[in-house]
């Protein structure tokens, strides 16, 4: 039973270790993320950031450690759950370093697929024949409304019927993020969402993430190498190097931290 993490904490990673044979990718790492805030995980290549995401989202079983999530009056220990339950029950959504849209499906269809579970639940009632058809229709209409809302948020409503693979790269990146938002997550984990974006697209990404945090109150855990994005939108930053946390603080504190500067410049 979890009763000792602060009320404003949504995620508490405690003494997390992940080994791959002789490699210690994450080494006794502890950090927290606050509810309704943007928390960034940064560090040089190979520091262990994606491995942390893989442990949080159930893709890897940690070697040791505890990952607690608390929201909506419920508490979970994520390291005990599989990826399906982490996503559907604990409401953790993620995006990946590489874009994973369905390129041949339309933008709207990509957002509908994200709501597949809610629709399947509704169609179960149809199967039973208990007020089924109206229930499914209502769920389908709600799913379309939600998809259209998020398309509008990223300016893609006019291109709802275009194949996702034909959209500009920056739009595809943001489409992936709003697809994750269609699952109505409590915690949104974004792995390098700014990778490959130009300055204008990075600005649009920042705007979207600030709106997700501000208007929707969604907590965001962000891995990002683009320091202009990290410094502009993060509330709090944790810095990893060789699987160990070497610093944490506000963007200003991190920018001036000699340990962080040394890690990035490769100095001792
Ligand atoms: P980047 O910024 O380059 O994406 P990262 O901080 O996300 O790096 P990870 O991808 O978590 O770093 O990798 C941390 C270390 O763990 C690296 O040495 C990597 O080679 C190793 N590693 C990650 N996944 C595996 C795996 N499945 N098997 C073996 N080693 C792995």
């Amino acid at each position: 039973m979890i009763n000792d993490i602060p009320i404003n904490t949504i995620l508490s990673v405690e003494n997390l270790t992940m080994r791959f044979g002789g490699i210690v990718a994450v080494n006794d790492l502890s950090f927290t993320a606050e509810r309704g805030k943007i928390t960034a995980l940064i560090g040089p290549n190979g520091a262990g950031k994606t491995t942390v995401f893989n442990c949080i989202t159930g893709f890897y079983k940690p070697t040791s450690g505890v990952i607690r999530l608390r929201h909506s009056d419920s508490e979970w220990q994520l390291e005990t759950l599989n990826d399906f339950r982490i996503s559907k029950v604990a409401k953790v959504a993620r995006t990946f370093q590489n874009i994973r849209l369905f390129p041949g499906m339309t933008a709207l269809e990509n957002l509908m697929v994200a709501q597949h579970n809610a629709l399947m639940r509704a169609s179960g009632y149809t199967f039973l024949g208990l007020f089924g058809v109206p229930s499914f229709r209502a769920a389908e209409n709600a799913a379309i409304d939600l998809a259209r809302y998020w398309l509008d948020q990223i300016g893609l409503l006019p291109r709802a019927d275009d194949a996702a693979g034909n959209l500009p790269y920056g739009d595809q990146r943001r489409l992936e993020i709003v697809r994750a938002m269609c699952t109505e997550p409590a915690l949104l984990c974004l792995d390098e969402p700014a990778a490959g974006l130009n300055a204008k697209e990075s600005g649009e990404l920042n705007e979207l993430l600030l709106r997700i945090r501000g208007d929707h109150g969604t907590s965001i855990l962000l891995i990002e190498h683009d320091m202009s994005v990290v410094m502009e939108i993060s509330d709090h930053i944790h810095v990893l190097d060789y699987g160990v946390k070497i610093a944490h603080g506000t963007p200003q504190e991190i920018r001036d931290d000699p340990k962080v500067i040394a890690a990035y410049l490769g100095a001792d």
Side-chain angles (χ1 to χ4, degrees):
M1 196 63 201
I2 299 163
N3 52 19
D4 58 350
I5 61 177
I7 193 73
N8 58 349
T9 297
I10 183 163
L11 178 76
S12 175
V13 172
E14 299 165 17
N15 308 106
L16 181 71
T17 294
M18 183 76 215
R19 293 176 197 274
F20 301 102
I23 297 171
V24 186
V26 179
N27 191 359
D28 200 26
L29 174 71
S30 298
F31 72 91
T32 58
E34 264 190 53
R35 190 180 314 282
K37 303 282 186 196
I38 298 177
T39 304
L41 276 187
I42 67 168
N45 290 327
K49 306 177 297 292
T50 298
T51 302
V52 172
F53 264 29
N54 284 331
C55 292
I56 291 171
T57 53
F59 283 66
Y60 294 158
K61 276 277 170 240
T63 308
S64 57
V66 173
I67 304 170
R68 306 177 187 207
L69 185 83
R70 180 159 68 185
H71 63 84
S72 321
D73 295 328
S74 295
E75 300 161 349
W76 296 269
Q77 271 188 235
L78 300 185
E79 82 283 0
T80 67
L81 305 178
N82 64 28
D83 55 346
F84 181 83
R85 289 184 67 77
I86 291 172
S87 132
K88 304 298 177 214
V89 181
K91 303 299 258 178
V92 177
R94 81 176 283 185
T95 64
F96 295 84
Q97 278 176 22
N98 48 337
I99 289 180
R100 294 194 179 187
L101 291 167
F102 298 106
M105 293 170 76
T106 68
L108 183 79
E109 285 165 350
N110 267 276
L111 302 198
M112 294 296 285
V113 168
Q115 303 177 73
H116 169 260
N117 249 51
L119 289 170
M120 286 309 284
R121 269 199 306 277
S123 70
Y125 293 118
T126 306
F127 178 71
L128 293 171
L130 300 171
F131 311 107
V133 172
S135 164
F136 180 70
R137 287 275 172 271
E140 190 181 34
N141 287 337
I144 292 170
D145 285 350
L146 188 62
R148 289 176 62 82
Y149 167 81
W150 280 113
L151 285 175
D152 194 32
Q153 289 294 302
I154 57 173
L156 282 186
L157 201 45
R159 302 196 66 176
D161 298 326
D162 288 9
N166 290 341
L167 296 171
Y169 182 78
D171 286 345
Q172 291 191 36
R173 279 267 173 214
R174 289 183 307 139
L175 185 62
E176 257 206 323
I177 294 170
V178 298
R179 182 173 67 174
M181 285 306 293
C182 282
T183 66
E184 304 189 304
L187 178 66
L188 178 63
C189 298
L190 303 175
D191 197 345
E192 297 191 34
L197 300 188
N198 62 34
K200 176 175 172 287
E201 291 166 337
S202 292
E204 290 168 348
L205 173 74
N206 284 355
E207 244 178 64
L208 173 64
L209 298 186
L210 290 173
R211 217 171 319 131
I212 287 173
R213 181 195 65 180
D215 297 352
H216 297 271
T218 306
S219 310
I220 297 177
L221 192 59
L222 172 72
I223 294 176
E224 189 48 68
H225 281 292
D226 182 333
M227 285 305 130
S228 65
V229 170
V230 170
M231 294 299 165
E232 194 172 322
I233 67 171
S234 303
D235 296 296
H236 200 86
I237 301 172
H238 299 281
V239 189
L240 306 193
D241 195 18
Y242 293 108
V244 173
K245 185 163 86 175
I246 59 165
H248 70 102
T250 62
Q252 190 55 50
E253 288 164 345
I254 291 305
R255 187 182 282 123
D256 299 336
D257 190 314
K259 289 194 295 299
V260 178
I261 296 165
Y264 273 94
L265 294 180
D268 288 329

